Amino acid sequence: MTIAQVAPLIEPSRRIESTIAHIIGLGLLFVGIGLVPCVVIEAATGGNGVAALSITAAIFLISGGILRRATQIGRVRATTVFSAVALTWIVVSFLGALPFILAGTMDQPGQAFIVEVSNAVFEAASGFSCTGSTVISDLPDVGESDPRIGYGILFWRQLTQWYGGMGIVLLVLAVLPVLGVRAVGFMAAESPGVSADRLVPRMSETARRLWLVYVGVTAAIAVSFLVTGMTLYDAVSHSLTTAATGGFSPYNDSVGEFSSIPIEIAAIMGMLVCGANFALHYRFIAGDRRVHLRDSEFRWYIAFFGAISILVVGALWIDTGLSGSSLRAGVFNSTSLVTSTGFGNATGGGSPGDITLWIPAAQIALLVAMVVGACTGSTSGGIKIIRFRVLGSQARLAVKAARHPRAVLPLKMGPNVVPERTVEHITGFIVVWLVLVGFGTAFASVSGTDIITAVSGTISAMGNMGPSLGAAGPTSTFVDGFDTPSRLVLASLMIVGRLELFAVLLLFARPFRQLQGLNPRRPNRH
Amino acid sequence: MARRGDQRRVSFYAPPAAIAFAAVGGALLVSAAIDLTDEGADAVVLALVGAASAAAAFTLYTRFRSPPRYRAVQALTVLTVVWITMIAVGMLALGLSEVFSELGESRRWSASLFESTSGFTTTGMTALPDVDAASRGVLFFRAAANWLGGLSAVIAAIAVIPFVTRTRDIVDIDHTNEMTRRLAPSIDTGIKNVVRVYLVFTALLVVALIATGIGVFDGVAYGLAIVSTGGFSPHTASFWSERNAAAEWIAILGMLLAGANVAVIWWILRGSIGSLWRSVELRVYAFVVVGAIAAVSIGIAGPDDVTASRQAVFAVASAISTTGLVAFDWWSWGPGAQAILVLLLAMGPMSGSSAGGFRIRRMIVLWEVARRELVRMVFPRAVHVVKMSGRPLTDNTVRSVAGYLILHLGLILGGAYAIGLFEDGVRRSLVAATSAVSTSGLLIGVRAANELTEGTRLMLIPLMLAGRLAILPLFVSIERATATSAAWGRRLAGRVRT
């Protein structure tokens, strides 16, 4: 039965009122469409994964179509928003693992099936959350082909990150009719940062424009990669993960595979652009050429990037002397981790780009970059600079308050007073973030991972970075550093981190479930 | 209390410095006397520096008197001055003594600065190449440095900071603060009571340790170092050399009690144990200790073994109380146990103790804030109040704890970067920085600080000081210094213009 046959069976009047299912259905449809080019690429290059990709595409499109047809937008409560966003991501991450399972990508001799499945889920979660940590250690080199890991499968891996970058729910919002006052809530629940910037009053229009900018930026990055010497396939697949600040690459050595300074410079520029707020990019394109300079978060972002680069290159200078290769490795990896991308430019273990062998100070500077992250409204991860700015001002006020115990000291950023409510929200966010990092670290280290690999791997997962320090660095995989249960914990932390904690945590919070039926306020009906 | 016709000049910083000089001078003179009971190699140096310190105290006392009251910023700066004075005298005494003589002229002074800072900040990392070889006088002085540092820290935390920053009624909402308020109704009574509790606690612990048969000198030295959560040991192998189960249990009890608020010890000494349980912070402290012991026991090899569980209990007590005594080879334990120990030493025990770290009370406040955020996501318009022990916390407390979190994290990560320039290994750098900021001294992977590079040790000095001064006074002093220099800059600029 095709969608066309099923559709008329469900009369609009008999559709079930479920906003959550409707949004999930639309999300599945959109992601399913992306599988079509993967099938084409796999078929054209003679890979073994054509059937796997086709079956997955069918599953995505049919289940998405049924959900969309059978349901309609209903009540939208605060709880609906978080559930819809979190569930969409969870469903997509599980179904997105299907191609890897069906094509046997994770198949290793002597490995249990359950481990294979969990590795596939890890890879998919790492993809959609734009993390970029991988469990595949034997990716083919340039020009080679491996029947197990075909070009189409690899393209799907890149594409998962691209979808996750700007956000699947945001894509859904672009086609949904008015959701009412709560619409901006969906965007806020998915997009990184403390505020969701509405470009135009209509939410669907805002979503459409942001996605258009995203597509445009991706295309521009692809062109810059083409110009600097990549093949079309390489350029497109790397541009997808650069725009998403994801960090997957079809090659083991990531960008290091090309050993090309122009390509690395193009990647650095691309990553920096995508670590900034896309609303700013939209306004820039719309004609406001100085909008970036006026934005204080953007200025702090550039300053932070500069500071981390200087700290890293400085430490490498002390360690090995100032050379072109340490400057190149330092700046590239600083950009990669400040923007939470996770590309590496190491050319195998022991090369200048292998961050796990750097002097400890440089590694600690990278760890700081991994925690802090980049801008609100970008595709990047981490805690975000703006949150640290607010709490940094808070710390300064705490010092001031000790000097003047009775003074009333409002927290100001520029001319505006930051409400107490925001400060507490940010404090709560950082605390929960740190608690989850502590939990992940304890879990992994009790399972036998050494402390540094455990803590940096957890931060890497929560902040959607990709590589960690220690045993799961850029030249190795997460199979080397973590056992299977720990990897599953990390995979869930990636989704939690991508959705900035609260959406997913609320699904499991007891008060939330109790309160779902008891909301005292009248729901918005449409 | 200015006498009628008092000719002395008013000074904010000289009288407290005089007290610091007098205390360290007294400790040095006692150390010199104790050194005479052994070989007496350092007795002359210790006595001379002690006498000089006492003379400095006398001179300052005859020239300056304190003002009737201190403003917050002055009182906080006083704390910095007191510690720097104590550390400077201690450095002089240790540098002139024989203990670092084999290191050569320049390294001798950096090592004695490290040792003195580590002592007075109650950190307890040692730069001594061979502790057992040091003279008795020096060993006693190290323990006394721990003790004085711990006493000053408790006085600051209970009887100074809450009064001058007017956080007495705001920050301390827990039941412990009810107890603290009875212990310290005013600054003067508070200091008196704290000293009294501290002396009784020390005496009891020293007697108990001596009763286990580790010897009078070791009993006194360990007693002083444990009460202050300092952790200097008169032996190279730290507590490891004792191999005495009774002494270990006494030390465990001492460390855990030293990690409690002084008011808690006061109430225990007075016999009113019943009401203690009303303190949320104490309950969480007990819960964390028990949980960590269970986790570490499971994490290390033989949980069925009595020795192994004692090792786990000792390690947990030493880590959470930020004492840093080492009794076992726990750097050979698995990564899980190590991770738990590092988390404990970063957390630290109760506020109002001489220990360092982030402190449990702040953790509780942050936890409540985070929990409220989850509820707020569902009911954005409702009014929620963060409560502790059933009483609401003010916005001010929440804000200051949030600010403190950032300062603390920044200090650890910044320190780890600086240490990472000299040290081998990311884990070592991070653990050393955390340990110094928590004034713990517990290191993982190295037995003592003398195995660290000299650059690392120099970097650890400011971290220990910052951790000891509870960060806030230090930053206030720095802010004041920059404000003053900015004012001078403006004045100079104005002069140039005219």
Side-chain angles (χ1 to χ4, degrees), chain B residues 25 46 57 100-101 125 133-134 151 154 243 246 264 314 323 390 425 472:
Chain B
L46 293 174
F100 293 117
S101 54
M125 290 184 197
L151 179 63
V154 176
R243 303 238 172 257
V264 171
F314 195 99
T323 308
L472 202 57

Side-chain angles (χ1 to χ4, degrees), chain A residues 78-79 82 311-312 315 318 359-365 367-368 388 391-392 394-395 397-400 402-403 405-406 409 411 420-421 423-425 427-428 430-432 434-435 445-446 448-452 469 502 505-506 509 511-512 515 519-521, chain B residues 72-73 76 164-166 334-336 338-340 342-343 366-367 369-370 372-381 395-396 398-400 402-407 409 413 416-418 420-427 429-430 444 472 475-476 479-480 483:
Chain A
T79 54
F82 297 114
L311 286 176
V312 168
I318 288 172
I359 179 174
Q363 297 192 36
I364 288 162
L367 199 63
V368 172
F388 277 99
L391 281 209
Q394 188 71 26
L397 276 192
V399 171
K400 220 177 196 175
R403 289 188 63 177
R406 285 186 185 166
L409 300 164
L411 180 60
E420 200 66 39
R421 176 79 184 73
V423 176
E424 280 166 24
H425 181 74
T427 311
I430 293 184
V431 170
V432 177
L434 292 176
V435 166
S445 59
V446 166
T449 307
D450 80 275
I451 297 184
I452 292 304
L469 308 174
F502 291 117
L505 292 186
L506 279 173
F512 179 77
L515 296 172
N519 196 331
R521 275 174 290 119
Chain B
V73 56
L76 293 173
V164 296
T165 58
R166 291 179 209 280
Q338 288 184 13
I340 291 167
V342 174
L343 283 178
L366 289 182
W367 178 250
V369 172
R372 178 172 64 171
E373 273 320 301
L374 280 177
V375 179
R376 265 190 177 165
M377 304 294 291
V378 190
F379 292 130
R381 286 185 215 163
D395 287 348
N396 242 339
V398 177
R399 284 172 53 162
S400 80
Y404 191 89
L405 173 72
I406 292 301
L407 289 178
L409 280 179
L413 288 173
Y417 176 82
L421 290 173
F422 303 97
E423 202 53 50
D424 186 26
V426 181
R427 185 181 68 163
S429 316
L430 276 171
I444 286 178
L472 202 57
F475 277 89
V476 170
E479 200 217 345
R480 188 179 149 80

Side-chain angles (χ1 to χ4, degrees), chain A residues 15 21-22 25-26 29 63-72 176:
Chain A
R15 286 180 182 176
H22 199 76
L26 280 168
L29 275 180
S63 56
I66 291 173
L67 276 179
R68 176 174 133 61
R69 287 285 172 175
T71 57
Q72 59 179 354
L176 272 188

